[in-house]
Amino acid sequence: MKSRYCILQIVVLLTFTCAVSAQNRTENVILITLDGARTQEVFGGLDLDILKDKTRRGRVEDSPLYKKYWAETPEERRLKLLPFFWGVLMKEHGSIAGNRSLGSAVMTTNRMWFSYPGYSEILTGQARDDVINSNDRIRNPNTTVLEFLKRKLNLDQNQVALFGSWDVFNWIGEHEEGAITINAGHEPYDHDKVEIQVLSELQNEKLSPWDSVRFDYFTFRFAMEHLKTYEPRVMHIALGETDDWAHSGDYAHTISSFNKNDQQLKELWDYLQSSPKYRGKTSIIITIDHGRGNTIKDWTDHGEKVPEAQYIWMAFISPDLQLRGEWKNTETIHQNQVAATLCRFLNLDYSENNPRAGKPIARIFGGVKE
Ligand SMILES: [Zn+2]
């Protein structure tokens, strides 16, 4: 009698387990963007041609960048540059598309290949080259996925948050002004904690070299504090230094920004794992707004005259996704699929908000090809 009871228990348990695993486990989504962070560094680490070009005196082998980040193979180099991303995240928890040498490409559908059109395509699921053709501070003409999720999940303003280094996110992130929490540029961040108040003041004391972009350090600290305080279900952390240092032709700072962003990813991940609200229930997409040139002449640049900039990359970390490492010989995926993919993780259909938006990425969810 006792053993039969046990078997029954096991059957009930198994049935329950299967039912649960058929459902998505995702309850929260986080989008992370690294402005103009090239596929070349993400998949290949330090670029020796650029370093040689930048080494004015002495041997390239003696430069601090070479000593810290050079290795013979692309795999070893990228592990030195992004040790957490490649050594932990992509190995144990997620996968990445966009390495063209393996037959995987990710492209923008906008033909502008600079920031506002790229972020808008990510956040609305649609290129709007007809109206978004500059980085000017104009209100996004389409509702964003952040606004859509706020409505569908019935969230308050603190529960949907965008923290960005670039001030134009105040215009890109929402169609309806004030719909969600946006903190971007050198904007103060109000918080009860004294150290956050000090940081909020400091960001205007220790100005970055750029008028409209603050250091990622501040953006990341405020984002982390917001995450811990309000536990948002939808968050976009938009880091920017990988683009701005590159525009200045400063390869050393560009490279150290990649490495700093990797440390920030680790801090974020460790926090998510320590929190019952997020652990095992959070899907993350990491991507970029545009690529940049592939040569020593145009690695600093992007935009219509630099077609290489249409190639981007996209990484997925999700409790609902078994894929690990790099995508190989797969269909090209597109920037306009991010919004629908974020929604699909939450079992929501983004086409309700925008029927013209790109579809959820088929390789992740199965179903029809895009
Ligand atoms: Zn950009």
Side-chain angles (χ1 to χ4, degrees):
M1 195 61 199
K2 196 171 178 230
S3 68
R4 205 183 294 166
Y5 177 65
C6 263
I7 288 164
L8 186 70
Q9 253 192 336
I10 289 166
V11 170
V12 169
L13 191 68
L14 280 176
T15 314
F16 182 69
T17 310
C18 290
V20 169
S21 59
Q23 285 284 323
N24 272 7
R25 276 178 278 184
T26 301
E27 292 175 13
N28 318 288
V29 289
I30 300 179
L31 169 67
I32 300 167
T33 48
L34 310 180
D35 202 303
R38 297 196 313 167
T39 53
Q40 287 81 352
E41 277 80 16
V42 167
F43 294 107
L46 184 74
D47 186 323
L48 193 57
D49 290 335
I50 298 175
L51 185 62
K52 279 179 181 162
D53 185 57
K54 288 284 162 191
T55 308
R56 300 277 182 249
R57 263 172 286 158
R59 299 179 336 135
V60 72
E61 290 81 0
D62 296 328
S63 83
L65 276 193
Y66 185 97
K67 286 182 181 160
K68 191 166 178 194
Y69 296 113
W70 181 253
E72 278 308 313
T73 69
E75 290 78 14
E76 290 171 281
R77 288 196 295 277
R78 69 195 189 191
L79 189 61
K80 287 189 170 186
L81 184 63
L82 306 167
F84 177 71
F85 181 80
W86 283 110
V88 180
L89 268 192
M90 291 301 105
K91 217 176 190 171
E92 296 168 18
H93 308 287
S95 72
I96 178 168
N99 189 346
R100 280 171 284 158
S101 71
L102 299 179
S104 163
V106 189
M107 298 176 79
T108 67
T109 68
N110 77 75
R111 308 284 296 169
M112 298 287 154
W113 312 326
F114 57 86
S115 292
Y116 195 142
Y119 289 121
S120 185
E121 183 171 338
I122 291 170
L123 289 174
T124 68
Q126 187 188 358
R128 288 298 307 271
D129 294 358
D130 54 331
V131 277
I132 302 172
N133 46 31
S134 77
N135 279 338
D136 292 349
R137 295 170 173 82
I138 55 158
R139 181 63 46 208
N140 200 320
N142 288 76
T143 314
T144 66
V145 66
L146 308 174
E147 294 173 288
F148 174 71
L149 288 174
K150 180 180 180 239
R151 182 164 61 81
K152 290 300 285 186
L153 299 171
N154 201 15
L155 303 174
D156 70 34
Q157 210 190 16
N158 280 322
Q159 294 253 291
V160 183
L162 189 167
F163 283 76
S165 296
W166 186 35
D167 68 359
V168 185
F169 276 107
N170 276 307
W171 286 268
I172 306 172
E174 56 192 9
H175 174 63
E176 186 195 325
E177 193 177 345
I180 61 165
T181 295
I182 300 185
N183 181 283
H186 290 91
E187 196 177 325
Y189 178 60
D190 288 331
H191 198 280
D192 292 343
K193 260 195 192 170
V194 177
E195 58 258 47
I196 296 298
Q197 290 166 14
V198 171
L199 277 185
S200 184
E201 281 173 30
L202 258 182
Q203 65 173 332
N204 286 305
E205 296 291 319
K206 178 75 188 83
L207 283 176
S208 74
W210 319 288
D211 288 341
S212 61
V213 186
R214 70 181 159 201
F215 286 122
D216 287 340
Y217 173 80
F218 295 106
T219 305
F220 183 72
R221 290 265 73 86
F222 300 152
M224 284 302 294
E225 212 53 48
H226 191 88
L227 192 72
K228 292 174 187 174
T229 309
Y230 300 103
E231 299 192 315
R233 288 186 64 194
V234 180
M235 195 167 200
H236 178 186
I237 304 176
L239 303 171
E241 283 187 54
T242 41
D243 182 75
D244 294 286
W245 291 119
H247 278 301
S248 321
D250 186 335
Y251 198 52
H253 273 104
T254 305
I255 283 294
S256 62
S257 298
F258 272 96
N259 189 245
K260 282 271 184 302
N261 290 164
D262 184 69
Q263 292 166 23
Q264 288 160 341
L265 272 182
K266 180 178 188 315
E267 184 180 333
L268 171 67
W269 179 258
D270 288 347
Y271 174 71
L272 297 177
Q273 299 322 296
S274 75
S275 156
K277 164 90 181 175
Y278 292 106
R279 186 181 53 244
K281 303 173 191 166
T282 305
S283 289
I284 304 171
I285 296 184
I286 314 174
T287 189
I288 60 174
D289 52 340
H290 53 77
R292 25 182 18 98
N294 190 33
T295 69
I296 56 168
K297 294 253 184 302
D298 65 7
W299 70 274
T300 55
D301 212 0
H302 55 88
E304 278 170 293
K305 295 195 179 96
V306 188
E308 173 71 16
Q310 68 193 293
Y311 292 101
I312 60 173
W313 53 272
M314 216 177 272
F316 311 91
I317 301 111
S318 168
D320 298 308
L321 188 58
Q322 305 310 315
L323 295 171
R324 297 289 177 266
E326 292 180 273
W327 291 29
K328 296 182 184 97
N329 301 318
T330 48
E331 297 258 320
T332 296
I333 59 169
H334 294 96
Q335 190 169 47
N336 65 3
Q337 297 181 272
V338 173
T341 301
L342 286 171
C343 291
R344 183 66 183 74
F345 277 128
L346 291 161
N347 282 320
L348 293 171
D349 177 5
Y350 186 68
S351 69
E352 249 180 64
N353 188 50
N354 184 351
R356 294 185 173 175
K359 300 284 174 274
I361 294 165
R363 180 151 194 254
I364 295 183
F365 303 109
V368 286
K369 283 181 185 172
E370 57 274 346

